[in-house]
Each structure stands twice: as structure tokens, then as C-alpha cells.
Amino acid sequence: MARRRITAEDGRSALRAAAGGAADRSTTATAVRYALEELATRAPGNSVEVRVPPFGVTQCVAGPRHTRGTPPNVIETDGATWLALVTGQQTWADAVAAGKVAASGLRADLADVLPLFPASR
């Protein structure tokens, strides 16, 4: 199970602030990291690496474990897009089609997992 560093209370508070447009960089970082922790909890595994630079990275989705070099399944996006995806403000398909998400590898698809916090809108 993924190790939690951000409490649910702090994470949800940061998500609300980010969704309301009132988030500074620190609050945005907390919201992004909390959502990455939640993703790792809901889709445990090590076959996909999700990167949201400069805020954080996590591994998730069951499947073959990757241990060295560049992972075969990588998802990368910016903080604003990640928060829009996890709150349901943007769909996975729309973000990929718009080029806001770089996804490579057969398992690099989070459409079945997102949004994580649809009530945060």
C-alpha cells in the first residue's frame, strides 16, 4: 500500500483551494501530491509511472514491476492539468487529445481511474 505523507484533511483543503483558483504554489503542490498518493492507493502497482513535474511522481497500476531505467509506461502532465483530471474538470480523453498529457506504453491510460475526487469541482 502507498505511504501517505499528506493527511486527507490537508489534501482535500488544498484541492478545494486549487479548484477555486485560490491556490499558491505550495497549496498546488500539496493538492498534486495528495492526488498522486490517492492514485497509488486506488490503483496499486508499479507498472505505470505518473509524473507531474515539478511537484511529484508515483507508480501505480498492477502489472509487471519496473526496476531500472526509463519505465515502459509513463504518463506526464503539468499540475493544472493533473488537478483538472483528478477533479473531473477535464476528461482523460480530452486532455490526451489536446496534448496536455503525454502517455506512452500499453498501460499508460488512467481513463478508468479518473476522476479521483469528482465532488471537488
Side-chain angles (χ1 to χ4, degrees):
M1 179 139 102
R3 184 176 66 202
R4 291 284 190 171
R5 294 178 186 215
I6 300 168
T7 67
E9 181 180 337
D10 289 346
R12 290 190 180 270
S13 175
L15 283 170
R16 282 191 299 276
D24 59 15
R25 183 175 170 83
S26 176
T27 303
T28 299
T30 299
V32 167
R33 291 177 186 139
Y34 176 69
L36 288 169
E37 289 176 2
E38 186 67 20
L39 174 65
T41 299
R42 292 191 194 187
N46 296 94
S47 69
V48 177
E49 186 166 287
V50 180
R51 301 172 181 169
V52 186
F55 302 114
V57 62
T58 196
Q59 290 187 352
C60 59
V61 181
R65 182 179 180 87
H66 172 77
T67 57
R68 294 173 57 152
T70 302
N73 301 289
V74 176
I75 295 167
E76 188 165 331
T77 190
D78 62 275
T81 300
W82 177 244
L83 293 175
L85 287 166
V86 301
T87 59
Q89 295 173 349
Q90 185 165 32
T91 67
W92 176 260
D94 288 346
V96 171
K100 292 182 176 184
V101 171
S104 63
L106 295 174
R107 297 176 183 271
D109 185 339
L110 298 178
D112 291 341
V113 182
L114 299 174
L116 298 172
F117 310 101
S120 297
R121 292 186 210 194

